Structure formats: C-alpha cells, structure tokens
Amino acid sequence: QVQLVESGGGLVQAGGSLRLSCAASGSIFSINAMGWYRQAPGNQRELVAIITSDGSTNYADSLKGRFTISRDNAKNTVSLQMSSLKPEDTAVYYCNAGITSWSRNWGVYWGQGTQVTVSS
C-alpha cells in the first residue's frame, strides 16, 4: 500500500510565504513525476506544479515566479515553496505522484489535501 501525506498548510496573510511538504511511504519501488494541485471552493482541481524524477519542472503559467517545487528522491518527498501569496491562492492543496510499487504495479496516488488560506 502506498500513502501520500501532506503537511504545512495553514493561515497566512497576503504577501506572506508558506511551505508545503508531502511524503510518500509504503511499498514503493520508484516514483515518476510528483506534483501539486489545488482546488478552491466551487472550482475544479487545477495543476500548480509538477517535477519529474530528474528534476524537470513545469508550473501553471499564473504561478511562475511565486511558487517553487522541489523533491528529495532519497526521502520520497516533494515540497512546494509559496511566496507573495494572494487571497486567490486560498484552496486545498493536494500532493500527487506516479508510483511503481514493489509488485511492479503503477498507479497515480493522491494525498488527503492540506488547506491553505490567505487573508487579505
């Protein structure tokens, strides 16, 4: 069984910074891309950023320059550093990863989500 657990969400004032972390655990043989998505009330879940196993990154155009994704392959973790936060960044943030288990089954896994609230 594979599990993703996020941490680091919370309440922050506009202009502030926040760092989210996600740790993958369980029967993991390898992890391909890892990413962050977010979903605001009434909106669809949207891509924030993804990072491949070799460190290539891709960001939502509107977030480039404010958010930075990184990963630690040795620890099976992915992080999202968010700066210059705006009230419109308020959402539940979800960690996501493509994982091959020791039984060689591949699947896409999601964390439970962590709330980020940016006050004006």
Side-chain angles (χ1 to χ4, degrees):
Q1 189 69 298
V2 173
Q3 189 177 20
L4 299 181
V5 177
E6 301 109 334
S7 60
L11 174 65
V12 63
Q13 287 188 332
S17 299
L18 209 57
R19 184 178 181 85
L20 305 182
S21 295
C22 172
S25 62
S27 178
I28 298 172
F29 175 73
S30 65
I31 303 178
N32 310 120
M34 303 184 81
W36 289 94
Y37 290 73
R38 69 184 184 183
Q39 186 168 18
N43 291 355
Q44 290 187 332
R45 191 172 297 188
E46 62 178 2
L47 172 71
V48 173
I50 58 174
I51 183 168
T52 63
S53 56
D54 64 0
S56 297
T57 59
N58 189 30
Y59 295 89
D61 287 341
S62 61
L63 302 177
K64 288 180 181 178
R66 294 195 299 121
F67 288 17
T68 302
I69 189 171
S70 61
R71 67 188 282 174
D72 185 329
N73 291 333
K75 297 181 179 179
N76 290 338
T77 60
V78 62
S79 298
L80 184 70
Q81 179 66 44
M82 305 183 292
S83 60
S84 302
L85 284 162
K86 305 174 182 180
E88 51 265 41
D89 294 319
T90 295
V92 177
Y93 284 70
Y94 296 91
C95 173
N96 159 282
I99 296 174
T100 301
S101 67
W102 282 106
S103 60
R104 299 302 190 267
N105 292 318
W106 183 88
V108 176
Y109 296 86
W110 292 88
Q112 81 285 358
T114 185
Q115 177 70 47
V116 171
T117 302
V118 183
S119 63
S120 57

mmCIF file of all heavy atoms in Angstrom, residues 39-78:
data_model
loop_
_atom_site.group_PDB
_atom_site.id
_atom_site.type_symbol
_atom_site.label_atom_id
_atom_site.label_comp_id
_atom_site.label_asym_id
_atom_site.label_seq_id
_atom_site.Cartn_x
_atom_site.Cartn_y
_atom_site.Cartn_z
ATOM 1 N N GLN A 39 -7.505 23.017 -5.268
ATOM 2 C CA GLN A 39 -8.917 23.140 -5.586
ATOM 3 C C GLN A 39 -9.541 24.148 -4.631
ATOM 4 O O GLN A 39 -9.563 23.941 -3.413
ATOM 5 C CB GLN A 39 -9.631 21.790 -5.466
ATOM 6 C CG GLN A 39 -11.068 21.826 -5.933
ATOM 7 C CD GLN A 39 -11.656 20.435 -6.091
ATOM 8 O OE1 GLN A 39 -11.138 19.456 -5.571
ATOM 9 N NE2 GLN A 39 -12.735 20.339 -6.832
ATOM 10 N N ALA A 40 -10.022 25.224 -5.215
ATOM 11 C CA ALA A 40 -10.728 26.242 -4.442
ATOM 12 C C ALA A 40 -12.224 25.927 -4.449
ATOM 13 O O ALA A 40 -12.699 25.234 -5.359
ATOM 14 C CB ALA A 40 -10.473 27.619 -5.033
ATOM 15 N N PRO A 41 -12.976 26.403 -3.487
ATOM 16 C CA PRO A 41 -14.417 26.130 -3.431
ATOM 17 C C PRO A 41 -15.108 26.545 -4.718
ATOM 18 O O PRO A 41 -14.914 27.664 -5.211
ATOM 19 C CB PRO A 41 -14.885 26.976 -2.253
ATOM 20 C CG PRO A 41 -13.689 27.100 -1.372
ATOM 21 C CD PRO A 41 -12.523 27.179 -2.305
ATOM 22 N N GLY A 42 -15.878 25.636 -5.272
ATOM 23 C CA GLY A 42 -16.616 25.920 -6.492
ATOM 24 C C GLY A 42 -15.807 25.792 -7.761
ATOM 25 O O GLY A 42 -16.348 25.986 -8.857
ATOM 26 N N ASN A 43 -14.523 25.488 -7.621
ATOM 27 C CA ASN A 43 -13.659 25.372 -8.801
ATOM 28 C C ASN A 43 -13.205 23.938 -9.011
ATOM 29 O O ASN A 43 -13.251 23.113 -8.092
ATOM 30 C CB ASN A 43 -12.432 26.263 -8.649
ATOM 31 C CG ASN A 43 -12.755 27.730 -8.715
ATOM 32 O OD1 ASN A 43 -13.898 28.117 -8.971
ATOM 33 N ND2 ASN A 43 -11.769 28.566 -8.475
ATOM 34 N N GLN A 44 -12.735 23.672 -10.217
ATOM 35 C CA GLN A 44 -12.150 22.367 -10.486
ATOM 36 C C GLN A 44 -10.724 22.311 -9.942
ATOM 37 O O GLN A 44 -10.073 23.343 -9.754
ATOM 38 C CB GLN A 44 -12.137 22.106 -11.996
ATOM 39 C CG GLN A 44 -13.507 21.887 -12.604
ATOM 40 C CD GLN A 44 -13.429 21.475 -14.071
ATOM 41 O OE1 GLN A 44 -12.479 21.820 -14.774
ATOM 42 N NE2 GLN A 44 -14.420 20.732 -14.525
ATOM 43 N N ARG A 45 -10.270 21.118 -9.714
ATOM 44 C CA ARG A 45 -8.889 20.935 -9.283
ATOM 45 C C ARG A 45 -7.964 21.340 -10.435
ATOM 46 O O ARG A 45 -8.206 20.977 -11.578
ATOM 47 C CB ARG A 45 -8.637 19.485 -8.874
ATOM 48 C CG ARG A 45 -7.317 19.250 -8.163
ATOM 49 C CD ARG A 45 -7.227 17.836 -7.623
ATOM 50 N NE ARG A 45 -8.257 17.578 -6.609
ATOM 51 C CZ ARG A 45 -8.295 16.455 -5.878
ATOM 52 N NH1 ARG A 45 -7.352 15.515 -6.055
ATOM 53 N NH2 ARG A 45 -9.259 16.278 -5.008
ATOM 54 N N GLU A 46 -6.929 22.098 -10.121
ATOM 55 C CA GLU A 46 -6.034 22.583 -11.156
ATOM 56 C C GLU A 46 -4.579 22.287 -10.807
ATOM 57 O O GLU A 46 -4.205 22.205 -9.628
ATOM 58 C CB GLU A 46 -6.202 24.095 -11.353
ATOM 59 C CG GLU A 46 -5.869 24.931 -10.134
ATOM 60 C CD GLU A 46 -6.005 26.424 -10.397
ATOM 61 O OE1 GLU A 46 -6.393 26.822 -11.510
ATOM 62 O OE2 GLU A 46 -5.692 27.210 -9.468
ATOM 63 N N LEU A 47 -3.774 22.172 -11.837
ATOM 64 C CA LEU A 47 -2.356 21.933 -11.660
ATOM 65 C C LEU A 47 -1.676 23.163 -11.087
ATOM 66 O O LEU A 47 -1.910 24.283 -11.546
ATOM 67 C CB LEU A 47 -1.708 21.565 -12.990
ATOM 68 C CG LEU A 47 -0.188 21.473 -12.996
ATOM 69 C CD1 LEU A 47 0.273 20.251 -12.216
ATOM 70 C CD2 LEU A 47 0.338 21.447 -14.419
ATOM 71 N N VAL A 48 -0.809 22.938 -10.115
ATOM 72 C CA VAL A 48 0.043 24.007 -9.592
ATOM 73 C C VAL A 48 1.436 23.844 -10.174
ATOM 74 O O VAL A 48 1.974 24.756 -10.810
ATOM 75 C CB VAL A 48 0.102 23.975 -8.056
ATOM 76 C CG1 VAL A 48 1.118 24.987 -7.537
ATOM 77 C CG2 VAL A 48 -1.286 24.228 -7.462
ATOM 78 N N ALA A 49 2.023 22.666 -9.971
ATOM 79 C CA ALA A 49 3.377 22.410 -10.466
ATOM 80 C C ALA A 49 3.650 20.920 -10.433
ATOM 81 O O ALA A 49 3.072 20.191 -9.617
ATOM 82 C CB ALA A 49 4.420 23.138 -9.609
ATOM 83 N N ILE A 50 4.523 20.476 -11.328
ATOM 84 C CA ILE A 50 4.969 19.097 -11.319
ATOM 85 C C ILE A 50 6.474 19.058 -11.460
ATOM 86 O O ILE A 50 7.078 20.000 -11.985
ATOM 87 C CB ILE A 50 4.314 18.255 -12.434
ATOM 88 C CG1 ILE A 50 4.598 18.866 -13.809
ATOM 89 C CG2 ILE A 50 2.823 18.116 -12.197
ATOM 90 C CD1 ILE A 50 4.114 18.003 -14.958
ATOM 91 N N ILE A 51 7.067 17.968 -10.997
ATOM 92 C CA ILE A 51 8.507 17.778 -11.105
ATOM 93 C C ILE A 51 8.778 16.310 -11.413
ATOM 94 O O ILE A 51 8.199 15.422 -10.790
ATOM 95 C CB ILE A 51 9.228 18.234 -9.815
ATOM 96 C CG1 ILE A 51 10.739 18.108 -9.949
ATOM 97 C CG2 ILE A 51 8.712 17.476 -8.582
ATOM 98 C CD1 ILE A 51 11.514 18.816 -8.833
ATOM 99 N N THR A 52 9.617 16.069 -12.407
ATOM 100 C CA THR A 52 9.941 14.701 -12.787
ATOM 101 C C THR A 52 11.054 14.147 -11.900
ATOM 102 O O THR A 52 11.645 14.866 -11.091
ATOM 103 C CB THR A 52 10.374 14.638 -14.247
ATOM 104 O OG1 THR A 52 11.579 15.401 -14.401
ATOM 105 C CG2 THR A 52 9.298 15.210 -15.165
ATOM 106 N N SER A 53 11.349 12.879 -12.079
ATOM 107 C CA SER A 53 12.360 12.240 -11.250
ATOM 108 C C SER A 53 13.756 12.823 -11.497
ATOM 109 O O SER A 53 14.619 12.757 -10.616
ATOM 110 C CB SER A 53 12.380 10.734 -11.493
ATOM 111 O OG SER A 53 12.577 10.459 -12.869
ATOM 112 N N ASP A 54 13.970 13.411 -12.675
ATOM 113 C CA ASP A 54 15.276 14.013 -12.948
ATOM 114 C C ASP A 54 15.298 15.509 -12.666
ATOM 115 O O ASP A 54 16.267 16.187 -12.964
ATOM 116 C CB ASP A 54 15.720 13.755 -14.394
ATOM 117 C CG ASP A 54 14.790 14.407 -15.408
ATOM 118 O OD1 ASP A 54 13.809 15.060 -15.010
ATOM 119 O OD2 ASP A 54 15.041 14.253 -16.621
ATOM 120 N N GLY A 55 14.207 16.024 -12.080
ATOM 121 C CA GLY A 55 14.197 17.407 -11.622
ATOM 122 C C GLY A 55 13.609 18.418 -12.589
ATOM 123 O O GLY A 55 13.576 19.614 -12.274
ATOM 124 N N SER A 56 13.104 17.983 -13.721
ATOM 125 C CA SER A 56 12.456 18.919 -14.638
ATOM 126 C C SER A 56 11.142 19.381 -14.036
ATOM 127 O O SER A 56 10.402 18.577 -13.452
ATOM 128 C CB SER A 56 12.205 18.261 -15.989
ATOM 129 O OG SER A 56 13.429 17.897 -16.585
ATOM 130 N N THR A 57 10.860 20.666 -14.195
ATOM 131 C CA THR A 57 9.667 21.234 -13.563
ATOM 132 C C THR A 57 8.749 21.886 -14.583
ATOM 133 O O THR A 57 9.176 22.307 -15.662
ATOM 134 C CB THR A 57 10.046 22.275 -12.504
ATOM 135 O OG1 THR A 57 10.812 23.319 -13.121
ATOM 136 C CG2 THR A 57 10.865 21.654 -11.382
ATOM 137 N N ASN A 58 7.496 21.972 -14.200
ATOM 138 C CA ASN A 58 6.508 22.658 -15.019
ATOM 139 C C ASN A 58 5.525 23.320 -14.063
ATOM 140 O O ASN A 58 5.095 22.693 -13.083
ATOM 141 C CB ASN A 58 5.781 21.677 -15.933
ATOM 142 C CG ASN A 58 4.913 22.373 -16.945
ATOM 143 O OD1 ASN A 58 5.221 23.487 -17.365
ATOM 144 N ND2 ASN A 58 3.832 21.741 -17.351
ATOM 145 N N TYR A 59 5.178 24.564 -14.343
ATOM 146 C CA TYR A 59 4.293 25.328 -13.470
ATOM 147 C C TYR A 59 3.090 25.857 -14.230
ATOM 148 O O TYR A 59 3.164 26.100 -15.439
ATOM 149 C CB TYR A 59 5.039 26.540 -12.888
ATOM 150 C CG TYR A 59 6.186 26.205 -11.977
ATOM 151 C CD1 TYR A 59 7.462 26.022 -12.480
ATOM 152 C CD2 TYR A 59 5.988 26.089 -10.603
ATOM 153 C CE1 TYR A 59 8.525 25.718 -11.641
ATOM 154 C CE2 TYR A 59 7.044 25.793 -9.757
ATOM 155 C CZ TYR A 59 8.302 25.605 -10.280
ATOM 156 O OH TYR A 59 9.349 25.307 -9.440
ATOM 157 N N ALA A 60 2.018 26.058 -13.498
ATOM 158 C CA ALA A 60 0.903 26.812 -14.063
ATOM 159 C C ALA A 60 1.427 28.209 -14.383
ATOM 160 O O ALA A 60 2.158 28.811 -13.580
ATOM 161 C CB ALA A 60 -0.240 26.879 -13.060
ATOM 162 N N ASP A 61 1.067 28.706 -15.556
ATOM 163 C CA ASP A 61 1.606 29.991 -16.006
ATOM 164 C C ASP A 61 1.386 31.111 -14.984
ATOM 165 O O ASP A 61 2.262 31.954 -14.764
ATOM 166 C CB ASP A 61 0.974 30.380 -17.343
ATOM 167 C CG ASP A 61 1.501 29.536 -18.490
ATOM 168 O OD1 ASP A 61 2.576 28.933 -18.342
ATOM 169 O OD2 ASP A 61 0.822 29.473 -19.529
ATOM 170 N N SER A 62 0.236 31.103 -14.361
ATOM 171 C CA SER A 62 -0.113 32.192 -13.453
ATOM 172 C C SER A 62 0.692 32.162 -12.152
ATOM 173 O O SER A 62 0.691 33.131 -11.389
ATOM 174 C CB SER A 62 -1.601 32.138 -13.114
ATOM 175 O OG SER A 62 -1.913 30.911 -12.467
ATOM 176 N N LEU A 63 1.389 31.048 -11.899
ATOM 177 C CA LEU A 63 2.107 30.896 -10.638
ATOM 178 C C LEU A 63 3.627 30.968 -10.792
ATOM 179 O O LEU A 63 4.341 30.965 -9.789
ATOM 180 C CB LEU A 63 1.737 29.564 -9.984
ATOM 181 C CG LEU A 63 0.252 29.364 -9.696
ATOM 182 C CD1 LEU A 63 0.012 27.987 -9.119
ATOM 183 C CD2 LEU A 63 -0.269 30.437 -8.758
ATOM 184 N N LYS A 64 4.089 31.035 -12.017
ATOM 185 C CA LYS A 64 5.531 31.097 -12.238
ATOM 186 C C LYS A 64 6.130 32.311 -11.539
ATOM 187 O O LYS A 64 5.582 33.407 -11.603
ATOM 188 C CB LYS A 64 5.821 31.166 -13.734
ATOM 189 C CG LYS A 64 5.567 29.868 -14.465
ATOM 190 C CD LYS A 64 5.870 30.011 -15.951
ATOM 191 C CE LYS A 64 5.592 28.707 -16.685
ATOM 192 N NZ LYS A 64 5.826 28.843 -18.147
ATOM 193 N N GLY A 65 7.240 32.077 -10.866
ATOM 194 C CA GLY A 65 7.919 33.152 -10.170
ATOM 195 C C GLY A 65 7.526 33.288 -8.710
ATOM 196 O O GLY A 65 8.255 33.898 -7.928
ATOM 197 N N ARG A 66 6.388 32.749 -8.329
ATOM 198 C CA ARG A 66 5.952 32.830 -6.930
ATOM 199 C C ARG A 66 6.060 31.484 -6.217
ATOM 200 O O ARG A 66 6.277 31.423 -5.013
ATOM 201 C CB ARG A 66 4.516 33.336 -6.836
ATOM 202 C CG ARG A 66 4.323 34.763 -7.299
ATOM 203 C CD ARG A 66 2.986 35.322 -6.838
ATOM 204 N NE ARG A 66 1.851 34.577 -7.358
ATOM 205 C CZ ARG A 66 0.940 33.975 -6.582
ATOM 206 N NH1 ARG A 66 1.036 34.018 -5.271
ATOM 207 N NH2 ARG A 66 -0.082 33.342 -7.138
ATOM 208 N N PHE A 67 5.858 30.414 -6.967
ATOM 209 C CA PHE A 67 5.882 29.076 -6.376
ATOM 210 C C PHE A 67 7.090 28.306 -6.905
ATOM 211 O O PHE A 67 7.446 28.430 -8.084
ATOM 212 C CB PHE A 67 4.612 28.308 -6.748
ATOM 213 C CG PHE A 67 3.362 28.785 -6.042
ATOM 214 C CD1 PHE A 67 3.301 30.012 -5.411
ATOM 215 C CD2 PHE A 67 2.224 27.989 -6.053
ATOM 216 C CE1 PHE A 67 2.160 30.445 -4.770
ATOM 217 C CE2 PHE A 67 1.066 28.406 -5.416
ATOM 218 C CZ PHE A 67 1.034 29.638 -4.779
ATOM 219 N N THR A 68 7.692 27.490 -6.039
ATOM 220 C CA THR A 68 8.819 26.659 -6.428
ATOM 221 C C THR A 68 8.619 25.244 -5.911
ATOM 222 O O THR A 68 8.406 25.048 -4.711
ATOM 223 C CB THR A 68 10.133 27.220 -5.869
ATOM 224 O OG1 THR A 68 10.331 28.562 -6.336
ATOM 225 C CG2 THR A 68 11.315 26.358 -6.322
ATOM 226 N N ILE A 69 8.683 24.293 -6.830
ATOM 227 C CA ILE A 69 8.538 22.891 -6.450
ATOM 228 C C ILE A 69 9.922 22.252 -6.400
ATOM 229 O O ILE A 69 10.799 22.578 -7.194
ATOM 230 C CB ILE A 69 7.623 22.142 -7.440
ATOM 231 C CG1 ILE A 69 7.278 20.742 -6.925
ATOM 232 C CG2 ILE A 69 8.228 22.090 -8.835
ATOM 233 C CD1 ILE A 69 6.201 20.040 -7.746
ATOM 234 N N SER A 70 10.100 21.346 -5.449
ATOM 235 C CA SER A 70 11.355 20.617 -5.324
ATOM 236 C C SER A 70 11.063 19.226 -4.778
ATOM 237 O O SER A 70 9.978 18.979 -4.248
ATOM 238 C CB SER A 70 12.320 21.367 -4.401
ATOM 239 O OG SER A 70 11.775 21.502 -3.096
ATOM 240 N N ARG A 71 12.020 18.339 -4.918
ATOM 241 C CA ARG A 71 11.828 16.986 -4.400
ATOM 242 C C ARG A 71 13.136 16.433 -3.880
ATOM 243 O O ARG A 71 14.214 16.847 -4.302
ATOM 244 C CB ARG A 71 11.214 16.065 -5.447
ATOM 245 C CG ARG A 71 12.095 15.771 -6.637
ATOM 246 C CD ARG A 71 11.328 15.002 -7.712
ATOM 247 N NE ARG A 71 11.191 13.585 -7.393
ATOM 248 C CZ ARG A 71 10.462 12.729 -8.129
ATOM 249 N NH1 ARG A 71 9.804 13.169 -9.184
ATOM 250 N NH2 ARG A 71 10.403 11.446 -7.796
ATOM 251 N N ASP A 72 12.997 15.478 -2.974
ATOM 252 C CA ASP A 72 14.139 14.750 -2.434
ATOM 253 C C ASP A 72 13.895 13.278 -2.756
ATOM 254 O O ASP A 72 13.076 12.621 -2.102
ATOM 255 C CB ASP A 72 14.251 14.980 -0.920
ATOM 256 C CG ASP A 72 15.496 14.355 -0.325
ATOM 257 O OD1 ASP A 72 15.947 13.310 -0.840
ATOM 258 O OD2 ASP A 72 15.989 14.889 0.668
ATOM 259 N N ASN A 73 14.579 12.774 -3.759
ATOM 260 C CA ASN A 73 14.338 11.404 -4.196
ATOM 261 C C ASN A 73 14.740 10.382 -3.135
ATOM 262 O O ASN A 73 14.132 9.323 -3.041
ATOM 263 C CB ASN A 73 15.085 11.136 -5.493
ATOM 264 C CG ASN A 73 14.500 11.902 -6.671
ATOM 265 O OD1 ASN A 73 13.317 12.227 -6.694
ATOM 266 N ND2 ASN A 73 15.332 12.214 -7.643
ATOM 267 N N ALA A 74 15.734 10.702 -2.346
ATOM 268 C CA ALA A 74 16.170 9.771 -1.309
ATOM 269 C C ALA A 74 15.118 9.616 -0.212
ATOM 270 O O ALA A 74 15.009 8.548 0.405
ATOM 271 C CB ALA A 74 17.487 10.238 -0.711
ATOM 272 N N LYS A 75 14.354 10.682 0.019
ATOM 273 C CA LYS A 75 13.347 10.658 1.085
ATOM 274 C C LYS A 75 11.931 10.495 0.553
ATOM 275 O O LYS A 75 10.978 10.448 1.334
ATOM 276 C CB LYS A 75 13.436 11.940 1.918
ATOM 277 C CG LYS A 75 14.761 12.114 2.656
ATOM 278 C CD LYS A 75 14.772 13.389 3.469
ATOM 279 C CE LYS A 75 16.087 13.540 4.228
ATOM 280 N NZ LYS A 75 16.130 14.798 5.022
ATOM 281 N N ASN A 76 11.792 10.418 -0.755
ATOM 282 C CA ASN A 76 10.461 10.298 -1.379
ATOM 283 C C ASN A 76 9.547 11.442 -0.963
ATOM 284 O O ASN A 76 8.374 11.232 -0.597
ATOM 285 C CB ASN A 76 9.811 8.953 -1.016
ATOM 286 C CG ASN A 76 10.495 7.785 -1.687
ATOM 287 O OD1 ASN A 76 11.171 7.939 -2.707
ATOM 288 N ND2 ASN A 76 10.347 6.597 -1.115
ATOM 289 N N THR A 77 10.079 12.632 -1.000
ATOM 290 C CA THR A 77 9.293 13.801 -0.625
ATOM 291 C C THR A 77 9.264 14.831 -1.751
ATOM 292 O O THR A 77 10.178 14.892 -2.582
ATOM 293 C CB THR A 77 9.843 14.478 0.640
ATOM 294 O OG1 THR A 77 11.193 14.885 0.397
ATOM 295 C CG2 THR A 77 9.811 13.532 1.839
ATOM 296 N N VAL A 78 8.220 15.615 -1.747
ATOM 297 C CA VAL A 78 8.087 16.748 -2.668
ATOM 298 C C VAL A 78 7.613 17.939 -1.849
ATOM 299 O O VAL A 78 6.806 17.782 -0.933
ATOM 300 C CB VAL A 78 7.148 16.435 -3.830
ATOM 301 C CG1 VAL A 78 5.738 16.131 -3.350
ATOM 302 C CG2 VAL A 78 7.139 17.570 -4.855
#
